[in-house]
Amino acid sequence: MGALITFLLAALLPIGQGGASATNQAMKISAERTDFDRNEGVVMFDGGVFVEYDDYDMASDKMFVFLNGTNELSSIVAVGNVAVTNGNRVGLCATAKYFHKSGEMEMYGTKDSPAKLLDGGKDGNAVEGSKIKFWLDSEQVEVENSRITVGNKEGVKIYE
């Protein structure tokens, strides 16, 4: 197993330009292995990838970070056992794409395992589908082929 590598992207994240966060917090990415292709503007993280950024954490088997021509974060693609957390909310999927400028996250499931958004609150609300798209700075969510579970005082209701 390779040495744990931590890569800080503080200089790559423009402050106040779109995205989910306008804070000055660095994005910290840990992985067993990291490869950086400066010519292509791609950083590949492999093995036990974990991202800490603002109010969000993300874990996956592998991750690709794409930079634009000025080495600012453009997008992230996470592959394999992806988990995105924010407080009580958890997103689980096979593949996720994050677009920094718009603050948009797209989560994709597989035929056997749909993408899921779980609300860890007392009601246990959940949504799952083949594709879930949401924006980190809002409550807007779009789901394809959706199944929604809503908890309430009478029990749990499932909507398909």
Side-chain angles (χ1 to χ4, degrees):
M1 195 176 236
L4 182 67
I5 298 172
T6 301
F7 187 76
L8 294 176
L9 294 173
L12 306 177
L13 300 173
I15 299 168
Q17 292 182 354
S21 177
T23 68
N24 194 17
Q25 182 173 343
M27 177 182 286
K28 182 178 178 183
I29 303 177
S30 300
E32 293 172 11
R33 179 175 176 211
T34 303
D35 290 321
F36 179 39
D37 184 333
R38 185 177 298 274
N39 290 334
E40 295 296 323
V42 179
V43 185
M44 189 273 300
F45 299 91
D46 192 15
V49 182
F50 188 73
V51 177
E52 297 174 80
Y53 181 54
D54 203 25
D55 294 333
Y56 290 86
D57 293 332
M58 180 187 286
S60 66
D61 295 335
K62 186 176 278 195
M63 183 175 293
F64 300 89
V65 175
F66 297 91
L67 310 172
N68 66 22
T70 59
N71 280 341
E72 291 177 341
L73 178 64
S74 174
S75 62
I76 296 173
V77 176
V79 180
N81 298 307
V82 180
V84 180
T85 61
N86 176 358
N88 285 337
R89 295 180 181 159
V90 177
L92 303 170
C93 62
T95 304
K97 297 178 182 179
Y98 169 68
F99 304 95
H100 182 66
K101 187 173 183 177
S102 65
E104 177 184 324
M105 176 75 74
E106 294 178 354
M107 298 184 352
Y108 298 88
T110 64
K111 181 180 178 183
D112 298 325
S113 180
K116 300 175 185 175
L117 276 179
L118 311 170
D119 186 351
K122 63 182 179 178
D123 291 333
N125 299 331
V127 63
E128 60 183 59
S130 58
K131 177 183 176 183
I132 299 174
K133 181 164 61 168
F134 62 95
W135 289 261
L136 299 181
D137 60 354
S138 76
E139 295 292 320
Q140 183 177 352
V141 177
E142 296 176 7
V143 183
E144 293 179 12
N145 303 310
S146 65
R147 176 181 168 129
I148 301 171
T149 305
V150 179
N152 59 35
K153 292 180 181 178
E154 293 88 40
V156 175
K157 293 185 179 183
I158 299 174
Y159 301 94
E160 296 189 63

